[in-house]
């Protein structure tokens, strides 16, 4: 199914971007808690900018790491933003 493949690719890319933003090489999974990763707020903002650029979306101003407990929460948010973009 093409749609499922797109979703899997999107999840993998978000995880890759978060992993690259981490200060140390660590495992990043959808269940990873953002606050427990080696991400500071600047690294998180950098990851969000890269996500916005890669997917052609705009995240809400003031998006902060504390609003999203896990990487999966962030993946779901990105998915919603992509869906919103496609509806326009």
């Amino acid at each position: 199914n093409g749609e499922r493949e797109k979703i899997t690719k999107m999840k993998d890319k978000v995880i890759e971007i978060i992993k690259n933003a981490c200060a140390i090489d660590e495992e990043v999974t959808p269940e990873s808690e953002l606050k427990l990763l080696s991400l500071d707020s600047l690294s998180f903002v950098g990851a969000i900018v890269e996500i916005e650029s890669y997917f052609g979306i705009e995240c809400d101003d003031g998006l902060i790491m504390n609003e999203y407990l896990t990487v999966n929460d962030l993946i779901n948010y990105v998915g919603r933003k992509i869906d919103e973009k496609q509806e326009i």
Side-chain angles (χ1 to χ4, degrees):
N1 184 332
E3 192 63 28
R4 182 171 287 149
E5 190 175 313
K6 277 186 199 173
I7 292 169
T8 300
K9 284 184 177 178
M10 182 269 289
K11 284 182 179 180
D12 291 346
K13 187 62 182 178
V14 171
I15 289 170
E16 176 189 323
I17 290 170
I18 295 295
K19 185 173 175 55
N20 290 340
C22 289
I24 59 173
D25 187 23
E26 59 192 309
E27 184 180 5
V28 177
T29 68
E31 295 76 33
S32 297
E33 291 186 43
L34 290 168
K35 67 182 179 188
L36 299 180
L37 295 173
S38 58
L39 278 174
D40 59 21
S41 57
L42 191 61
S43 300
F44 181 72
V45 169
I48 295 301
V49 169
E50 188 173 341
I51 287 168
E52 287 178 323
S53 174
Y54 184 84
F55 293 106
I57 59 173
E58 279 190 40
C59 295
D60 300 327
D61 286 343
L63 183 73
I64 53 171
M65 196 161 45
N66 299 345
E67 292 176 33
Y68 299 93
L69 300 178
T70 66
V71 172
N72 200 52
D73 293 336
L74 187 59
I75 289 169
N76 290 333
Y77 175 80
V78 171
R80 285 194 306 275
K81 287 295 182 181
I82 291 170
D83 289 345
E84 287 173 14
K85 184 180 114 178
Q86 291 171 349
E87 290 173 7
I88 297 175

